[in-house]
Amino acid sequence: MVIDWGMTIRKIIVYGALFMLFMIAIGFLVLMGVNAYLIALMAGGFLFIQYFFSDKLVLWSTGARILEENEAPRLHSIVENLAAEMDIPKPKVAVVQNDIPNAFATGRDKRHAVVAVTTGILNRLNEREMRGVLAHELSHIKNRDMFVVTFASFIVSIVSYVVYFVFAMLFSRDERNYGASMLAWLVSMLFSNTIGVIIINTVSRYREYGADRGSALTTRDPDALISALRKISGGDYNREDAMGLESAKALCISPIAGSVMELLSTHPSIEKRIAYLERIKSEL
């Protein structure tokens, strides 16, 4: 398999920077005299909850229903064949009653994964295009991308706490000064909703490129995914359907809503993704 060294190096830089940010945050807590046991309990607790329960929350909030094999034999067959080609366990298959054509994968590891598709995407794509989309989602599972996003969110949570702690110390030495505490909380929220969002979304965009590449190399048919992306992107859907997928927006193959700035987007633009797939096609 041909390795995209440019993309691989950029991913290493992003993930390395993420890890360094985490170590710096922990270092700040230690220097400020926060009890080591409290740091371990806080960090471990956040990671445990996000790792073991985030997938269940996503499935519950989107209304995803696990499909038995006799309910959708063809869909199960495509997933089973792709999983065998990728040498991963076959994930569970779920459907979401939602007219937005989309799909996502969730689960804490390869053995506890779920691939979910909306009724909207089932009604719009042909079998070849669905194969490209499902290969994209199984690539997320193979690449352990669900954990990557969980870990990125975890680091942002920890750093937000550090920001709160630092500014609470700077604004006031009086523990009863609730105004200073509130101001510190607002600063930490501003961080998590600006720099934190940029960090998570940068990681998310690299995940999408990686999954697109995985789909193209597994199916040997980049045009299938290109055709699917063109069909499912840029539609105008009602607010209720969009809100129904809000909790899974970073996991979906197509963004629920566009962003005026790429830094604030969970996905690369469709044009960039198609251009990337075209380059892979030339490699094949």
Side-chain angles (χ1 to χ4, degrees):
M1 183 179 72
V2 179
I3 298 174
D4 185 338
W5 286 109
M7 184 64 65
T8 300
I9 291 170
R10 288 196 292 273
K11 284 174 69 175
I12 291 172
I13 292 171
V14 170
Y15 296 163
L18 200 60
F19 182 73
M20 286 301 298
L21 185 62
F22 171 67
M23 296 306 296
I24 291 169
I26 295 298
F28 262 113
L29 290 176
V30 172
L31 288 173
M32 289 178 183
V34 179
N35 188 284
Y37 291 109
L38 177 60
I39 295 174
L41 181 63
M42 178 185 67
F46 278 148
L47 190 57
F48 177 85
I49 292 170
Q50 289 184 294
Y51 183 67
F52 284 98
F53 296 105
S54 59
D55 59 324
K56 295 177 177 61
L57 290 172
V58 168
L59 293 174
W60 173 76
S61 61
T62 57
R65 182 177 68 84
I66 301 298
L67 287 172
E68 299 299 330
E69 194 163 346
N70 60 359
E71 294 181 272
R74 191 59 197 147
L75 190 61
H76 270 272
S77 176
I78 296 173
V79 171
E80 185 173 10
N81 290 336
L82 288 170
E85 290 179 42
M86 293 184 180
D87 195 27
I88 61 173
K90 179 191 173 189
K92 294 180 180 178
V93 180
V95 66
V96 180
Q97 292 292 327
N98 194 302
D99 191 50
I100 295 179
N102 231 314
F104 62 87
T106 187
R108 64 180 183 269
D109 56 41
K110 296 176 184 179
R111 296 192 176 278
H112 299 86
V114 180
V115 172
V117 295
T118 64
T119 50
I121 203 169
L122 290 174
N123 293 333
R124 288 171 175 81
L125 300 189
N126 59 39
E127 186 171 314
R128 180 184 167 217
E129 292 162 341
M130 276 303 303
R131 181 174 164 83
V133 166
L134 291 170
H136 171 101
E137 297 306 331
L138 266 66
S139 294
H140 279 311
I141 296 170
K142 184 174 182 177
N143 297 340
R144 302 180 186 274
D145 283 343
M146 290 81 75
F147 176 75
V148 170
V149 168
T150 297
F151 188 62
S153 301
F154 159 70
I155 290 177
V156 169
S157 298
I158 292 293
V159 175
S160 296
Y161 174 81
V162 172
V163 170
Y164 168 80
F165 194 85
V166 169
F167 278 90
M169 295 280 288
L170 290 175
F171 290 151
S172 176
R173 296 177 182 272
D174 184 357
E175 294 180 357
R176 295 171 297 178
N177 191 329
Y178 297 112
S181 180
M182 180 60 70
L183 185 57
W185 177 78
L186 288 173
V187 171
S188 69
M189 287 296 293
L190 181 63
F191 168 86
S192 63
N193 285 286
T194 52
I195 298 174
V197 167
I198 290 171
I199 291 170
I200 293 171
N201 288 352
T202 300
V203 171
S204 180
R205 289 194 298 277
Y206 283 120
R207 288 170 59 252
E208 292 306 316
Y209 281 126
D212 285 346
R213 183 176 184 83
S215 172
L217 296 179
T218 299
T219 62
R220 313 295 293 182
D221 185 13
D223 285 325
L225 185 56
I226 290 172
S227 176
L229 289 173
R230 283 177 172 150
K231 278 188 180 181
I232 66 180
S233 64
D236 187 18
Y237 304 102
N238 67 56
R239 180 178 175 80
E240 185 177 341
D241 282 336
M243 289 300 295
L245 291 178
E246 179 67 21
S247 62
K249 65 181 180 180
L251 303 175
C252 287
I253 187 171
S254 179
I256 306 304
S259 175
V260 293
M261 293 177 61
E262 185 166 324
L263 278 175
L264 302 178
S265 176
T266 55
H267 294 63
S269 68
I270 293 297
E271 293 75 19
K272 287 186 177 181
R273 291 173 71 180
I274 289 175
Y276 183 61
L277 286 165
E278 292 286 358
R279 290 201 300 272
I280 296 172
K281 185 165 68 171
S282 67
E283 293 175 13
L284 296 175

